[in-house]
Amino acid sequence: MTKNIKNISFDFVDDYSIDDDSIRKLSDIQKTQLKSCMQLNNYKDFVNEDFDIENTEHLFREELGGWAFASLYHIINEDTKKIMFDFWSYNEEDGIIFMHDTANHIGIFMIEFNFERAIENEFNKDLPEDFIKLLQDAF
């Protein structure tokens, strides 16, 4: 039950960029999560006409409007030691949280290093009231 989350931690998984082979290691679900991050951040307002959201490499092409890099963290329930969420941080200060290994975001975004509930949805309705504070304190 997610309402009982009291202790969490962020476990760094990896950084991804076009400067090395790291984006080739992305799973299909990770690519889908990253595309969702772009869409949820109204990417069409920031990218140039050559940007193709279906091209994973474009997500990391700054000259097209993509990110310099993105970092993946797992959010762990420290009481059960289970991975609960995947957190993508892009360009260091922004990010979005997904249910672990799914494309379902929980409506909680990080904007300029601050977590906030941006969207009410079925994936965040059972989170504890203080979950934003837990995130902020743990990150």
Side-chain angles (χ1 to χ4, degrees):
M1 182 94 180
T2 54
K3 281 225 184 271
N4 296 328
I5 301 170
K6 299 207 182 326
N7 300 298
I8 62 170
S9 65
F10 284 78
D11 183 30
F12 174 75
V13 176
D14 209 347
D15 286 324
Y16 299 90
S17 74
I18 58 171
D19 295 334
D20 54 35
D21 282 341
S22 59
I23 65 169
R24 294 186 198 339
K25 295 187 264 180
L26 290 166
S27 69
D28 288 341
I29 194 67
Q30 291 168 334
K31 290 176 188 176
T32 300
Q33 289 173 336
L34 287 170
K35 289 175 192 173
S36 292
C37 289
M38 274 283 180
Q39 292 165 327
L40 291 165
N41 282 293
N42 300 315
Y43 77 99
K44 290 182 181 177
D45 295 340
F46 305 103
V47 299
N48 77 22
E49 61 194 39
D50 296 324
F51 186 88
D52 176 9
I53 195 168
E54 297 304 318
N55 182 335
T56 303
E57 190 172 303
H58 283 207
L59 300 175
F60 296 94
R61 289 243 176 248
E62 283 185 282
E63 70 274 13
L64 298 178
W67 308 304
F69 67 95
S71 302
L72 175 62
Y73 297 82
H74 287 149
I75 300 175
I76 311 291
N77 180 333
E78 282 298 313
D79 295 326
T80 64
K81 301 298 184 195
K82 291 186 179 176
I83 300 170
M84 299 186 64
F85 305 106
D86 297 331
F87 171 59
W88 281 102
S89 171
Y90 37 89
N91 287 349
E92 201 170 337
E93 65 185 20
D94 299 314
I96 297 178
I97 301 173
F98 295 85
M99 299 297 292
H100 179 56
D101 273 342
T102 76
N104 301 321
H105 70 86
I106 66 167
I108 296 175
F109 298 4
M110 183 176 75
I111 301 167
E112 297 180 357
F113 299 107
N114 292 300
F115 288 94
E116 60 184 60
R117 188 178 310 237
I119 300 167
E120 294 286 330
N121 68 20
E122 64 183 292
F123 305 108
N124 63 30
K125 68 180 180 190
D126 289 329
L127 293 173
E129 287 183 32
D130 66 343
F131 193 66
I132 301 295
K133 183 177 179 346
L134 287 173
L135 290 168
Q136 201 69 49
D137 290 349
F139 193 69

